[in-house]
Amino acid sequence: MISNKGQSTNIKVLCRIRPLPNEVNKTELSQIEIRSSNNLAVFPKTDPDNALNFEFDHIFPDTSNQENIFHIVAHSIVQDLVQGINGTIIAYGQTASGKTHTITGSDIFDANTMGLIPRVITSVFDNIDESDNTLEFSMKISYCELYLEKIYDLTDMDKKGLKIREDRARGFYIEKLTEHFVSSDFEVFEILRVGTENRHLMSTKMNSRSSRSHTIFNISLDINNSLDLSGRNGRLCFVDLAGSERVSKTGAEGLRLKELKNINKSLNSLTSVINALTDMKALHVPYRDSKLTKMLQNSLGGNSKTSIIITISPLLVNESETISTLRFGAVAKAVKNQPKINRELTMAELKLKLHKLEEELKKKALRIEALEEALAKLNIDYSAIESQPSKSDDPIDFESTESDEFLIELEEVSNKLTSYIEDNSKRKKLLTEVKISLEDIENSTENDHALISLLENKHERIDSAIKAKSVIVQKLIIEKTVLSEKIERAHAKKLELERALNEKTAESNDLKYKLKAYEDKQEILPETVEAIEELKEKLVNEQHKYKKNQSELQELQLRLNLALQEQLNNKIGDEKNVLTREINARNDKISVLEHELNEINDSTKLTKKILGEDESSLIIDTEALEKKLKELAEMYKLLVSRQSSSNIEKQINLRKVTRLNERIVLLEQDLKHKKENLNKVEKEANRFLDDMAAQSIFNKMRVPIKGGGGKGSRAYTYSRLSIKPRFCSSLKFN
Ligand SMILES: Nc1ncnc2c1ncn2[C@@H]1O[C@H](COP(=O)(O)OP(=O)(O)OP(=O)(O)O)[C@@H](O)[C@H]1O
């Protein structure tokens, strides 16, 4: 990296006064007067008449918001960063005075409360978006903290106790600190969020989330110009220092005390560095005294545009810390840095430089030649002059005395020549170095080109190999499909064959079984014939019996029907007669009664006529008549009940007839079953006879197919049977 010489610039110091915490009473305020945007006075409680006056680059009153801070502190730093100029923003101040609030913000995702880092990140990406297309950017982020003199990688908590190394080109740097390549503000926000969560915090009297460490958030931006191949690099560093506190005020103990001592120690070393940087008489800047100052070497007195934001509290209770912070800021303001554009020369620039050096070298060589010629004309051996001891030690003794002036001139020429030679050798050396570096660059460029073409070739080869492979893969896929179809077909065929084989095996088993059965049967044929004869006989007998039964049954049924019919007719006739007789008798009775009633009527009329003649005999007659009437009524009732009981009897008889009919149906069904059974028996007998007939033909036609055959052989084949004897087809029933 070759850089233009940096201009000396003072560190900027800006002062931010935090607003009052809500719970605080106004009477407890320090007397701080903001006199202008860069001037402020403090009237100490102990000595209000002697105001302490402070001048800073800017003073932010407690009403300033985060956006104001960004515009005044960081806007120009962002512009510098994208030009390749380093920047640093440091927050320094008492605990709870608002350092973290200023650098990171209370909530990095809240547009109002987000601090400088998120705003700067957004702005850098905006700048990148708006930049020329020929510029290429590459951004790296790292985030670490210094806690109890140990360095932690906040983006990877497994990395603790990191070492600070020193390098000629880079100065101090943290070894193994993760640098995240990022391409969007979201990624940076995420790193910031995770890192901020990982910080060492503690709840203290003054701050519920007090930082117990110094944190450094670093942005590194490489800017490359694709046209002239020039490059730049800018680094922007945000430092949130841990807050100073008086041990006596806090009454801290244990770890808290240890933390506090460490914080104060490193802040003291920072103050020492600042003091040394501003002290003209100081011979040495004690950067190496602490890790913090090593890490901030470039930001303080180095190649960086640095701004320190001092944060102060308006509370009276913090007055002494406020004054000491303001004093620190006042001193720091005097520190001078040399920021410069960090740029690499373009190839054209390097070539031009080389060309100039070569021209210069040629001129020098000509001058040397001219001088050597002049010497030669004067007969002076230049090499002898060169090898001669110095004049003071052993002065030259010129016997042929030339003039003293000539000697002086000669000495001058000799001196000039020597200086030319020295100059020349220096330039030659420089030229060689430049040539070497140019060659290196050309070599590396050639190497890069070669590598690129190698990679391109390789890429092409891989590409064509991939294509070839994909063709093969396609073919293989097709082959695989065809093969799997074939396999499927073969499998189906195999299953079919297996099924056929099973069937054949079953058939063969069946045949074997049948063969065995026939063989067995053959052995018992005489008995079988006898049995068949017996069976036949039995069957004929059964058929006879069945026929007889059937005709008997039919006869029985006929008789039954007749009997029933007769019985029914008789019964109905009887009933009818009885009823007719009863009805006739009743009619007779009714006509008798009617007759009697007429007589009574007549006698009543007569009675009415002779009324008064014999009333008592009339009453007797009336009573007799009433009695008669009663008897007639009862007789009528009896007749009616007889008629209803004859109706019931008729119903019963009808039910009996129905039951008889049902029984007839049942008998018919039974008869049908018996018929069916008989048919079955007949069919069985026919089959049996068929088998017998086949057997008798088979016995005549069997042929050996294996093992010579003959008697006792088990392997036979069958000829097709064409004659099938039937068993008594005439016995079939309809
Ligand atoms: N300017 C401000 N406006 C609003 N709130 C603020 C401001 N400054 C500080 N605060 C609030 O005060 C509290 C302490 O602030 P912060 O943590 O930033 O202090 P600090 O200086 O970083 O403290 P420490 O050194 O202990 O870490 C926080 O809740 C913060 O939000």
Side-chain angles (χ1 to χ4, degrees):
M1 181 83 62
I2 297 170
S3 54
N4 58 338
K5 207 165 165 65
Q7 274 192 339
S8 188
T9 329
N10 277 67
I11 284 181
K12 278 188 182 173
V13 177
L14 307 98
C15 175
R16 183 178 196 181
I17 306 169
R18 65 153 294 169
L20 274 180
N22 293 335
E23 66 280 4
V24 175
N25 187 327
K26 292 229 171 182
T27 54
E28 294 171 303
L29 290 181
S30 285
Q31 264 212 21
I32 300 171
E33 185 185 304
I34 300 174
R35 291 176 167 165
S36 73
S37 65
N38 57 0
N39 187 286
L40 154 159
V42 181
F43 300 88
K45 172 105 175 154
T46 47
D47 188 7
D49 297 335
N50 286 318
L52 302 168
N53 201 47
F54 295 95
E55 289 233 339
F56 298 113
D57 290 280
H58 198 91
I59 292 160
F60 296 103
D62 59 357
T63 49
S64 302
N65 61 32
Q66 302 285 69
E67 184 67 10
N68 301 146
I69 309 283
F70 166 72
H71 272 290
I72 290 168
V73 180
H75 189 68
S76 63
I77 288 182
V78 172
Q79 306 303 318
D80 289 340
L81 176 72
V82 293
Q83 296 301 316
I85 299 171
N86 296 342
T88 306
I89 298 173
I90 300 172
Y92 178 99
Q94 186 200 359
T95 183
S97 55
K99 297 180 292 297
T100 306
H101 181 78
T102 304
I103 295 287
T104 314
S106 310
D107 180 355
I108 61 165
F109 297 104
D110 181 332
N112 293 322
T113 60
M114 62 164 62
L116 283 172
I117 300 177
R119 284 171 203 273
V120 164
I121 289 296
T122 312
S123 177
V124 171
F125 276 101
D126 286 348
N127 270 271
I128 290 172
D129 287 345
E130 286 159 17
S131 67
D132 201 294
N133 280 346
T134 55
L135 297 178
E136 287 163 7
F137 296 87
S138 143
M139 193 190 279
K140 284 181 284 181
I141 300 290
S142 66
Y143 196 12
C144 67
E145 72 173 355
L146 178 64
Y147 173 69
L148 294 177
E149 281 302 285
K150 271 191 181 171
I151 298 169
Y152 293 77
D153 186 338
L154 286 174
T155 65
D156 180 355
M157 289 312 276
D158 289 338
K159 288 186 179 175
K160 34 187 102 152
L162 300 180
K163 300 268 177 304
I164 295 181
R165 301 275 180 220
E166 195 175 6
D167 168 294
R168 265 192 165 196
R170 296 165 69 183
F172 290 111
Y173 69 96
I174 301 166
E175 191 185 44
K176 293 182 183 166
L177 178 64
T178 317
E179 286 194 298
H180 300 269
F181 278 94
V182 289
S183 55
S184 71
D185 44 1
F186 299 112
E187 285 175 67
V188 187
F189 274 53
E190 189 52 21
I191 292 168
L192 180 63
R193 185 190 66 77
V194 172
T196 305
E197 274 174 15
N198 285 336
R199 282 182 318 167
H200 281 89
L201 300 175
M202 188 178 270
S203 178
T204 66
K205 252 196 248 168
M206 295 180 71
N207 188 356
S208 59
R209 286 176 60 78
S210 178
S211 315
R212 300 287 83 196
S213 63
H214 310 297
T215 61
I216 298 182
F217 183 90
N218 204 69
I219 304 169
S220 168
L221 189 69
D222 284 334
I223 310 124
N224 291 305
N225 190 321
S226 58
L227 284 184
D228 61 10
L229 302 178
S230 65
R232 294 177 188 193
N233 172 268
R235 296 179 84 85
L236 177 51
C237 196
F238 294 88
V239 184
D240 182 1
L241 294 171
S244 57
E245 262 179 296
R246 292 231 171 102
V247 176
S248 55
K249 255 190 182 178
T250 58
E253 285 175 348
L255 178 65
R256 174 111 168 72
L257 181 63
K258 197 177 166 191
E259 281 173 353
L260 204 56
K261 280 183 176 170
N262 256 285
I263 292 167
N264 290 344
K265 194 176 157 201
S266 57
L267 289 177
N268 286 340
S269 64
L270 178 67
T271 311
S272 306
V273 165
I274 299 241
N275 286 337
L277 283 169
T278 50
D279 183 357
M280 300 297 277
K281 289 178 217 152
L283 300 171
H284 152 82
V285 183
Y287 288 115
R288 290 172 188 279
D289 279 7
S290 76
K291 284 183 178 161
L292 177 67
T293 48
K294 277 184 193 171
M295 283 153 72
L296 294 181
Q297 188 190 31
N298 205 38
S299 307
L300 303 170
N303 168 20
S304 168
K305 278 194 178 176
T306 299
S307 294
I308 298 179
I309 304 170
I310 51 168
T311 51
I312 56 169
S313 153
L315 295 178
L316 182 62
V317 68
N318 298 324
E319 192 182 69
S320 67
E321 285 88 352
T322 299
I323 292 170
S324 92
T325 302
L326 291 169
R327 283 191 175 134
F328 172 88
V331 177
K333 223 174 98 46
V335 174
K336 287 193 188 307
N337 281 3
Q338 289 79 40
K340 58 197 176 189
I341 297 176
N342 304 312
R343 65 188 284 259
E344 285 167 354
L345 290 184
T346 64
M347 191 67 86
E349 283 170 328
L350 274 171
K351 279 185 178 167
L352 193 70
K353 195 157 187 162
L354 181 69
H355 183 69
K356 271 185 190 167
L357 283 168
E358 278 173 343
E359 288 295 305
E360 225 170 295
L361 204 65
K362 271 183 201 165
K363 277 185 202 161
K364 303 275 177 195
L366 287 174
R367 184 97 180 107
I368 291 164
E369 265 177 37
L371 284 168
E372 278 175 348
E373 271 173 28
L375 283 173
K377 274 181 196 165
L378 293 169
N379 267 342
I380 297 169
D381 182 7
Y382 168 68
S383 56
I385 295 171
E386 240 189 343
S387 59
Q388 268 179 16
S390 72
K391 201 181 157 198
S392 58
D393 297 345
D394 191 7
I396 302 166
D397 182 23
F398 287 99
E399 289 210 355
S400 58
T401 53
E402 302 275 333
S403 72
D404 283 352
E405 282 172 15
F406 174 74
L407 280 174
I408 291 162
E409 194 188 336
L410 190 64
E411 203 177 333
E412 268 176 17
V413 170
S414 165
N415 283 343
K416 269 187 186 171
L417 191 62
T418 315
S419 84
Y420 272 129
I421 289 166
E422 274 173 8
D423 209 9
N424 196 24
S425 73
K426 269 187 200 163
R427 283 177 194 280
K428 263 188 179 169
K429 205 175 155 198
L430 190 62
L431 185 66
T432 323
E433 275 175 17
V434 171
K435 266 185 176 171
I436 289 168
S437 71
L438 190 65
E439 270 170 21
D440 278 354
I441 290 165
E442 276 173 353
N443 282 345
S444 77
T445 315
E446 271 170 26
N447 283 347
D448 285 351
H449 281 308
L451 195 65
I452 287 166
S453 63
L454 203 73
L455 285 171
E456 277 172 357
N457 284 345
K458 206 168 183 178
H459 184 70
E460 270 170 27
R461 279 206 305 281
I462 290 169
D463 246 14
S464 52
I466 287 170
K467 275 178 196 157
K469 287 260 158 66
S470 66
V471 171
I472 293 171
V473 167
Q474 285 303 323
K475 274 186 191 167
L476 284 172
I477 289 169
I478 293 165
E479 271 176 31
K480 190 192 157 208
T481 321
V482 171
L483 276 173
S484 46
E485 276 171 11
K486 273 185 186 171
I487 288 168
E488 263 175 36
R489 279 203 300 277
H491 190 66
K493 192 142 193 155
K494 188 189 154 210
L495 288 176
E496 209 177 297
L497 284 171
E498 275 175 2
R499 210 167 32 245
L501 186 69
N502 286 341
E503 276 171 17
K504 292 284 170 206
T505 315
E507 261 176 38
S508 131
N509 286 340
D510 200 27
L511 284 173
K512 276 181 194 165
Y513 174 75
K514 275 185 180 165
L515 190 65
K516 172 91 172 59
Y518 277 117
E519 278 171 359
D520 292 348
K521 273 179 191 168
Q522 202 188 359
E523 280 167 19
I524 54 158
L525 196 61
E527 292 161 30
T528 314
V529 173
E530 254 176 51
I532 288 167
E533 286 305 321
E534 257 177 46
L535 204 67
K536 262 186 192 174
E537 228 171 89
K538 265 186 190 171
L539 196 65
V540 173
N541 287 340
E542 281 296 321
Q543 280 174 338
H544 282 308
K545 266 187 200 169
Y546 175 76
K547 244 187 158 182
K548 201 175 154 196
N549 277 344
Q550 200 191 18
S551 56
E552 272 175 14
L553 199 68
Q554 276 172 347
E555 205 180 312
L556 196 70
Q557 194 180 342
L558 203 65
R559 279 212 321 260
L560 190 69
N561 285 348
L562 285 172
L564 282 171
Q565 198 63 44
E566 200 181 37
Q567 205 177 358
L568 195 67
N569 289 343
N570 289 343
K571 196 91 182 167
I572 291 167
D574 287 354
E575 289 295 326
K576 204 174 163 185
N577 290 338
V578 168
L579 284 173
T580 316
R581 271 201 302 278
E582 277 182 2
I583 289 163
N584 289 339
R586 202 170 57 188
N587 287 340
D588 290 348
K589 276 272 181 217
I590 288 166
S591 51
V592 169
L593 283 171
E594 277 173 351
H595 179 71
E596 281 181 358
L597 196 62
N598 287 336
E599 277 181 357
I600 288 164
N601 283 338
D602 291 343
S603 66
T604 308
K605 282 175 190 166
L606 191 69
T607 308
K608 277 180 182 172
K609 268 184 194 171
I610 55 168
L611 196 66
E613 287 175 17
D614 194 352
E615 199 175 346
S616 58
S617 64
L618 185 63
I619 289 165
I620 291 161
D621 284 346
T622 308
E623 281 174 355
L625 280 171
E626 279 175 355
K627 197 179 167 191
K628 201 104 186 161
L629 197 62
K630 263 185 191 169
E631 279 172 11
L632 279 171
E634 271 169 18
M635 196 178 284
Y636 181 74
K637 270 186 197 166
L638 191 72
L639 280 171
V640 169
S641 76
R642 268 194 194 162
Q643 194 174 10
S644 72
S645 66
S646 79
N647 277 341
I648 291 164
E649 210 168 323
K650 189 180 165 189
Q651 292 286 329
I652 290 166
N653 284 331
L654 279 171
R655 253 184 252 136
K656 274 181 186 170
V657 171
T658 315
R659 271 204 300 279
L660 275 169
N661 281 334
E662 282 169 1
R663 187 159 161 67
I664 288 163
V665 171
L666 283 173
L667 280 166
E668 275 174 351
Q669 278 173 357
D670 189 36
L671 188 66
K672 202 176 160 201
H673 284 157
K674 282 194 171 153
K675 270 182 193 175
E676 281 167 5
N677 283 342
L678 194 64
N679 277 339
K680 274 184 198 162
V681 171
E682 188 193 22
K683 272 182 193 159
E684 195 63 36
N686 274 332
R687 255 202 307 279
F688 187 68
L689 284 172
D690 283 352
D691 288 349
M692 288 306 300
Q695 183 62 33
S696 59
I697 291 163
F698 164 77
N699 283 342
K700 284 174 199 159
M701 296 182 76
R702 67 187 179 187
V703 181
I705 56 165
K706 193 175 161 193
K711 263 190 181 172
S713 172
R714 286 288 199 199
Y716 301 115
T717 185
Y718 294 91
S719 74
R720 198 179 302 131
L721 293 176
S722 55
I723 306 159
K724 293 191 176 193
R726 306 293 315 153
F727 174 76
C728 203
S729 60
S730 60
L731 288 178
K732 279 190 175 172
F733 295 101
N734 290 322

